[in-house]
């Protein structure tokens, strides 16, 4: 300290070095956020092409092909995720949540890495090509978190937990073109508590990732523009029923998925690879049968079905039940893939069916059903109504969507007290603890 006061030149050089280091850190962070946006766009394009190719192959007189393609695709995804890309299984959001709780870089590296970025994108695309009822939104969260974790290493940043949060938010924002939903998701679902010191990281990452996405795809609404407006005087029974029934069915999905996942993991432990592949094959076969029985409506993300419902075309009354089963089987199969888009499709189906019963507009009913069911599945009501508002471009229905989301959340809390993503994240944390204990035991024996 005395030396720097004695030699002003040295003090200036130290300040200059500190400024250069600060700008280097910022540039690395900005580059990482832009990379998330570009990767998200690439992921979206590949996913759409894979789903379109599956539809083209199974159209016309080749309707039986899913009985072959789907189980084989599930087995390939399960094998690759077990042997080459461990940690890529499932949605990807539980991995990002778990990584925020883990303290060791090696433990985080098992579930967030650049290798998993490649694996997650590749296997999700293969899953969509196989007809799996999965989405790319959850996987994009793991991709964004992985990129930001690498940015923390390259930039020498200490705010690892905040960067994982920022990468996750940027992933959601770029995947759906929903910047507000990305921020709300980071606060409500990823963090569960608001950390003021990370707000700048989250906002900057969302803005830069969003700009990169907009630069390539332009400004768009994921499900088009919803033109119908909800009237509380005539539609309050619909708001109530979509919230309570949608939330109850969403809680049932969450509870069944957790119970099945835990049991399958315990059963697979004796013969991990063989039993994992067997479960994937069986789930894939049932997904194919359901898809054929539904006339192909349950294959893929469910984006087209949800969009048609929002635009006023009622879905078949049984669609939501078939999509529910296809999404549940795809999730417990262990293949990489998210539940965001399939859940929104199920919710649109529930709302459409309730709208037919109550004589309400199909578009309004679909919006309310999506809010109630999605809030029930993930138990994150703010994320539910904000993401639906941004994806449909209609802000006239804010209060009604809030009510449906809160009713769905309240109903789900009475049925299932464990939020789905956080319960699944504890499985990855437990794996890290077991791996650490095994390493300690191995070292002591040596």
């Amino acid at each position: 300290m005395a030396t720097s006061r004695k030699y002003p030149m040295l003090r200036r050089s130290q300040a200059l070095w500190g400024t250069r280091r600060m700008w280097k850190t910022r540039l690395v962070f900005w580059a990482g956020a832009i990379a998330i946006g570009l990767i998200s766009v690439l992921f979206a394009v590949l996913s759409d092409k894979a789903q379109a190719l599956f539809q083209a192959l199974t159209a016309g007189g080749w309707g039986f092909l899913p009985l072959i393609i789907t189980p084989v695709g599930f087995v390939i995804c399960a094998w690759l995720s077990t042997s080459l890309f461990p940690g890529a299984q499932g949605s990807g959001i539980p991995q990002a949540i778990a990584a925020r709780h883990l303290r060791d870089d090696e433990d985080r590296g098992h579930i967030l890495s650049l290798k998993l970025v490649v694996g997650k994108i590749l296997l999700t695309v293969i899953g969509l090509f196989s007809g799996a009822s999965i989405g790319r939104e959850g996987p994009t969260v793991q991709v964004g978190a992985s990129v930001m974790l690498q940015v923390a290493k390259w930039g020498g940043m200490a705010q690892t937990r905040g960067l994982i949060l920022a990468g996750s938010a940027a992933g959601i924002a770029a995947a759906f073109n929903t910047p507000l939903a990305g921020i709300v998701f980071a606060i409500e679902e990823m963090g569960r508590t608001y950390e003021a010191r990370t707000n700048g990281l989250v906002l900057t990452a969302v803005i830069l990732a969003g700009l990169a996405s907009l630069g390539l795809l332009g400004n768009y609404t994921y499900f088009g523009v919803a033109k119908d407006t909800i009237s509380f005087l005539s539609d309050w029974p619909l708001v109530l029923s979509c919230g309570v029934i949608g939330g109850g069915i969403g809680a049932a999905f969450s509870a069944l998925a957790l119970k099945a996942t835990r049991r399958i993991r315990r059963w697979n432990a004796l013969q991990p690879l063989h039993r994992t592949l067997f479960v994937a094959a069986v789930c894939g076969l049932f997904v194919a049968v359901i898809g054929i029985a539904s006339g192909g409506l349950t294959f893929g993300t469910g984006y087209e079905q949800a969009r048609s419902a929002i635009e006023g075309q009622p879905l078949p009354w049984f669609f939501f039940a078939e999509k529910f089963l296809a999404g549940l089987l795809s999730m417990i199969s262990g293949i990489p893939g998210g539940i965001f888009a399939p859940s929104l499709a199920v919710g649109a189906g529930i709302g459409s069916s309730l709208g037919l019963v109550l004589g309400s507009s199909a578009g309004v009913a679909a919006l309310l059903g999506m809010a109630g069911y999605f809030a029930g599945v993930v138990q994150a009501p703010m994320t539910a109504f904000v993401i639906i508002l941004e994806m449909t471009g209609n802000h006239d229905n804010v209060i009604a969507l809030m009510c449906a989301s809160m009713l769905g959340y309240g109903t789900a809390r009475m049925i299932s007290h464990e939020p789905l993503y956080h319960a699944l994240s504890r499985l990855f944390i437990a794996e890290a603890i077991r791996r650490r204990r095994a390493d300690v035991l191995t070292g002591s024996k040596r």
Side-chain angles (χ1 to χ4, degrees):
M1 196 71 175
T3 305
S4 62
R5 282 197 297 266
K6 189 176 180 181
Y7 300 101
M9 185 69 74
L10 178 60
R11 188 168 65 249
R12 285 195 295 271
S13 67
Q14 288 174 340
L16 183 60
W17 170 251
T19 303
R20 286 177 177 174
R21 182 182 177 84
M22 180 184 68
W23 275 105
K24 176 192 172 185
T25 300
R26 286 180 179 177
L27 289 172
V28 171
F29 171 69
W30 294 342
I34 293 171
I36 292 171
L38 298 176
I39 293 170
S40 298
V41 170
L42 174 65
F43 196 1
V45 171
L46 292 175
S47 298
D48 290 344
K49 288 187 178 298
Q51 190 166 314
L53 184 56
F54 174 81
Q55 291 172 346
L57 287 173
T58 56
W62 299 93
F64 66 91
L65 269 182
L67 294 174
I68 301 170
I69 295 175
T70 306
V72 171
F74 272 52
V75 169
I76 291 172
C77 286
W79 175 64
L80 288 175
S81 63
T82 301
S83 57
L84 287 181
F85 303 106
Q89 299 90 338
S91 162
I93 294 175
Q95 288 94 315
I97 294 172
R100 295 193 73 237
H101 293 284
L102 296 172
R103 301 292 180 184
D104 188 80
D105 288 339
E106 185 180 346
D107 291 334
R108 288 183 176 133
H110 285 286
I111 51 178
L112 296 180
S113 67
L114 293 184
K115 178 183 177 182
L116 285 176
V117 169
V118 175
K120 198 74 174 186
I121 294 173
L122 173 65
L123 299 183
T124 303
V125 169
I126 293 174
L128 286 170
F129 171 73
S130 306
S133 182
I134 56 176
R136 58 177 168 80
E137 299 77 25
T140 307
V141 169
Q142 188 177 9
V143 167
S146 296
V147 170
M148 276 302 177
L149 183 62
Q150 188 61 51
V151 162
K153 294 176 183 177
W154 286 340
M157 304 178 198
Q159 293 177 289
T160 305
R161 296 177 76 248
L163 287 166
I164 292 172
L165 191 70
S168 302
I172 284 289
F176 279 128
N177 188 33
T178 51
L180 287 178
I183 294 167
V184 172
F185 172 80
I187 296 170
E188 183 182 39
E189 185 59 33
M190 284 293 300
R192 287 283 167 178
T193 55
Y194 184 67
E195 299 177 16
R197 64 182 179 275
T198 64
N199 59 356
L201 292 174
V202 171
L203 284 170
T204 305
V206 167
I207 290 168
L208 292 175
L211 287 173
S213 176
L214 288 173
L216 293 176
L217 297 180
N219 196 14
Y220 67 95
T221 49
Y222 193 83
F223 286 123
V225 178
K227 299 179 180 178
D228 296 329
T229 303
I230 296 163
S231 171
F232 269 97
L233 293 176
S234 57
D235 290 326
W236 71 264
L238 183 66
V239 175
L240 183 65
S241 58
C242 283
V244 174
I245 296 173
I249 297 174
F253 177 92
S254 177
L256 286 171
L258 281 174
K259 195 170 185 179
T261 299
R262 287 166 177 164
R263 288 194 173 185
I264 289 170
R265 277 178 173 252
R266 285 196 297 267
W267 186 70
N268 286 353
L270 296 175
Q271 294 178 306
L273 183 58
H274 291 88
R275 292 190 177 186
T276 296
L277 299 184
F278 175 77
V279 169
V282 171
C283 290
L285 181 61
F286 278 109
V287 168
V289 170
I290 294 168
I292 292 171
S294 69
L297 291 178
T298 60
F299 289 126
T301 61
Y303 162 78
E304 293 178 3
Q305 290 74 27
R307 180 163 186 160
S308 68
I310 289 169
E311 291 175 348
Q313 300 174 11
L315 293 167
W317 66 269
F318 50 83
F319 167 78
F320 79 88
E322 293 175 326
K323 188 66 175 173
F324 177 98
L325 289 173
L328 181 63
L329 289 166
S330 297
M331 182 178 177
I332 66 175
S333 69
I335 68 172
I339 62 170
F340 262 57
S343 293
L344 293 171
V346 173
I350 292 171
S352 180
S353 297
L354 290 172
L356 290 173
V357 172
L358 297 174
S360 300
S361 162
V364 162
L367 284 174
L368 293 171
M370 290 164 71
Y373 179 78
F374 189 70
V377 171
V378 300
Q379 293 190 19
M382 287 197 298
T383 300
F385 75 77
V386 170
I387 206 169
I388 292 167
L389 280 175
E390 286 195 282
M391 286 192 301
T392 57
N394 186 327
H395 295 273
D396 297 330
N397 301 314
V398 175
I399 300 299
L401 287 172
M402 282 182 178
C403 289
S405 298
M406 284 305 300
L407 286 168
Y409 169 71
T411 304
R413 289 292 292 174
M414 289 190 289
I415 297 171
S416 174
H417 297 294
E418 286 187 291
L420 179 61
Y421 291 135
H422 286 263
L424 291 173
S425 73
R426 286 194 285 273
L427 297 177
F428 291 99
I429 294 171
E431 280 184 6
I433 293 171
R434 283 195 297 269
R435 190 165 47 242
R436 181 68 55 186
R437 286 175 178 171
D439 291 343
V440 171
L441 288 173
T442 303
S444 63
K445 287 178 181 178
R446 288 176 183 172

